[in-house]
């Protein structure tokens, strides 16, 4: 069986060395005679592994000691509601910056638990650009400010950390976490679903400033309270042991391949190659996003004639290029260029795009 080039937006490509190591260790993890999925999460082997995974992540991202790191079950969407439950009291307000589908959904899901103030939105511009910072109507009394650093569907990305004063900045980084260095201290809370740059679906990573764990909010079951999960080292209930293990293999792969600075350079080269091909196609392919905020992770594009879409998808898959169909909300095409997608994959894609344009006119 030959491997294909996987451009899926998520669940997405995993690094081949990670998959190969997981394959080798599937039946006998660490000489234990059993899979990691068959081990007790409270056993010495798993606890030691979990501690190493967190240490590797802290090293990669430069996470300060006054931040807790949680490895939770589920995905980021659950935390659209759980974040206001943990950071806001009843009657509190929170600012939301709407830059695409996921930040808009986060605001909608937060509404039962906090007074949502849409402090800025680019929806009127079809989410093709970021709302200008001078137009943001931030509330200095807000419980937090929420952004999505990268919009997986609409293909826009924050290239700089916005200034929000003393209010904690909360960031959904599901689709660009670990794609380059960041200053964690600029954020109050970072959260990310694993299935793009971390590992398989079913795991969500949360990085939270410890003082925010102490906020008095509202009555809720312990299972929803971040402070309880932090106090139990993310083992308040049985965690996703397989996802945690694979995340650890991914972190080791990142360290072995130059860390986040190297990933940033790789991702710059990949995205620039694809955007240059789109922009240089004479209008055959189009990406309407304002160039300064074009995502390096998710590149949506259309063909000059949508009647060619079906042929493009059929022929690209036959050429070993998987999952290029755009999200149903936008149509067209989308290529996701996460860390595990090598430059060779993007070169294969642009070669196909040029050949398709020649053949179909």
């Amino acid at each position: 069986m030959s491997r294909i080039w996987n451009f899926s937006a998520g669940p997405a490509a995993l690094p081949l060395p990670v998959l190969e190591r997981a394959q080798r260790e599937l039946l006998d993890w660490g000489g234990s005679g059993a899979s990691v999925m068959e081990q007790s999460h409270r056993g010495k082997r798993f606890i030691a592994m979990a501690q190493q995974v967190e240490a590797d992540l802290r090293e990669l991202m430069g996470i300060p000691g006054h931040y807790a790191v949680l490895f939770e079950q589920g995905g980021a969407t659950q935390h659209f509601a759980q974040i206001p439950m943990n950071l806001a009291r009843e009657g509190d307000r929170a600012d939301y910056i709407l830059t695409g589908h996921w930040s808009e959904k986060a605001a909608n899901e937060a509404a039962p638990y906090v007074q949502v103030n849409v402090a800025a939105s680019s929806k009127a511009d079809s989410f093709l650009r970021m709302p200008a910072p001078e137009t943001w109507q931030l509330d200095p009394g807000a419980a937090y400010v929420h952004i999505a650093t990268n919009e997986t569907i609409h293909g826009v990305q924050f290239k700089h950390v916005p200034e929000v004063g003393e209010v904690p900045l909360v960031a959904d980084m599901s689709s660009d976490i670990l794609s380059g260095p960041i200053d964690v201290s600029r954020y109050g809370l970072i959260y990310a679903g694993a299935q793009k740059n971390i590992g398989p679906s079913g795991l969500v990573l949360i990085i939270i400033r410890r003082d925010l764990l102490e906020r008095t909010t509202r009555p809720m079951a312990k299972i929803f309270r971040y402070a309880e999960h932090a106090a139990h080292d993310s083992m308040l209930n049985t965690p996703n042991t397989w996802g945690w293990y694979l995340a650890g293999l991914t972190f080791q792969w990142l360290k072995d391949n130059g860390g986040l600075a190297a990933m940033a350079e790789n991702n710059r080269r990949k995205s620039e190659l694809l955007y240059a091909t789109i922009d240089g196609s004479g209008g055959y392919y189009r990406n309407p996003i304002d160039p300064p905020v074009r995502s390096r992770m998710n590149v949506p594009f259309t063909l000059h004639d949508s009647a060619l879409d079906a042929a493009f998808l059929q022929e690209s898959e036959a050429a070993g290029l998987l999952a290029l169909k755009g999200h149903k909300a936008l149509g067209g095409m989308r290529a996701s260029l996460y860390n595990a997608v090598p430059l060779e994959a993007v070169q294969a894609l642009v070669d196909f795009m040029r050949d398709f344009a020649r053949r179909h006119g």
Side-chain angles (χ1 to χ4, degrees):
M1 182 186 70
S2 60
R3 294 278 294 173
I4 48 79
W5 297 126
N6 185 358
F7 296 95
S8 175
L14 286 166
L16 185 58
V18 167
L19 293 173
E20 290 173 335
R21 181 171 171 184
Q23 183 183 50
R24 292 194 303 270
E25 297 180 347
L26 183 61
L27 301 182
D28 182 6
W29 174 57
S32 65
S35 167
V36 68
M37 293 180 285
E38 301 170 288
Q39 310 272 335
S40 168
H41 62 292
R42 303 196 188 281
K44 290 182 180 180
R45 286 179 182 273
F46 189 87
I47 289 175
M49 186 271 301
Q51 291 172 342
Q52 185 60 55
V53 172
E54 180 176 336
D56 287 343
L57 180 66
R58 286 185 178 275
E59 179 183 345
L60 281 166
M61 295 185 67
I63 301 173
H66 62 288
Y67 283 73
V69 177
L70 308 179
F71 294 87
E72 300 295 297
Q73 292 191 53
T77 300
Q78 172 185 322
H79 297 272
F80 293 165
Q82 207 163 329
I83 284 167
M85 290 170 65
N86 278 268
L87 298 188
R89 298 165 299 182
E90 294 185 30
D92 277 356
R93 301 176 304 280
D95 290 336
Y96 278 74
I97 312 300
L98 307 191
T99 54
H101 173 89
W102 291 110
S103 52
E104 185 175 41
K105 187 171 183 179
N108 292 337
E109 293 297 303
Y113 306 99
V114 71
Q115 293 185 29
V116 171
N117 171 45
V118 177
S121 174
S122 55
K123 187 172 185 176
D125 294 324
S126 301
F127 296 126
L128 298 179
R129 55 190 51 84
M130 290 291 185
E134 61 270 17
T135 68
W136 293 20
Q137 301 294 313
L138 296 174
D139 180 355
Y144 59 88
V145 179
H146 182 281
I147 63 172
T149 54
N150 183 78
E151 289 283 358
T152 315
I153 294 174
H154 285 88
V156 297
Q157 184 178 27
F158 278 95
K159 300 298 175 64
H160 305 285
V161 183
E163 295 289 345
V164 297
E166 298 301 314
V167 177
L169 181 61
V170 172
D172 177 358
M173 291 190 183
S174 292
S175 53
D176 63 352
I177 195 167
L178 301 174
S179 65
I182 64 166
D183 182 355
V184 173
S185 68
R186 299 285 301 277
Y187 301 89
L189 186 154
I190 293 166
Y191 66 112
Q195 66 272 16
K196 303 175 190 297
N197 265 336
I198 297 173
S201 59
L203 180 76
V204 61
L205 174 67
I206 298 169
I207 303 166
I208 182 170
R209 214 171 62 208
R210 293 188 189 276
D211 65 290
L212 298 178
L213 295 172
E214 301 171 4
R215 283 192 171 183
T216 301
T217 55
R218 68 194 72 212
M220 71 181 86
K222 289 182 178 180
I223 197 67
F224 297 126
R225 194 176 295 280
Y226 293 148
E228 291 288 342
H229 288 275
H232 290 84
D233 298 321
S234 301
M235 297 187 191
L236 182 62
N237 60 332
T238 305
N240 179 347
T241 56
W242 175 246
W244 203 331
Y245 157 76
L246 276 173
L249 297 189
T250 300
F251 299 160
Q252 291 177 28
W253 175 80
L254 288 168
K255 290 175 63 177
D256 291 342
N257 285 275
L260 302 193
M263 292 301 112
E265 176 60 17
N266 291 341
N267 292 323
R268 180 193 65 78
R269 294 172 64 197
K270 291 185 298 185
S271 60
E272 287 183 357
L273 174 59
L274 181 51
Y275 284 122
T277 301
I278 294 169
D279 294 342
S281 69
Y284 196 94
Y285 302 105
R286 298 167 184 158
N287 173 282
I289 303 300
D290 188 22
V293 297
R294 282 174 163 176
S295 170
R296 289 180 177 169
M297 295 285 97
N298 309 99
V299 182
F301 61 94
T302 57
L303 279 70
H304 73 103
D305 182 358
S306 61
L308 292 170
D309 286 4
F312 184 94
L313 291 169
Q314 183 179 14
E315 293 183 25
S316 62
E317 185 165 348
L321 307 170
L322 182 68
L324 287 169
K325 186 176 182 179
H327 191 275
K328 61 183 179 181
L330 295 182
M333 312 299 155
R334 175 176 53 174
S336 295
L337 312 180
Y338 302 127
N339 288 341
V341 177
L343 181 61
E344 292 85 351
V346 183
Q347 186 63 60
L349 171 59
V350 301
D351 288 346
F352 169 82
M353 292 169 66
R354 292 166 181 155
D355 180 64
F356 184 91
R358 282 194 297 267
R359 290 184 291 104
H360 289 271

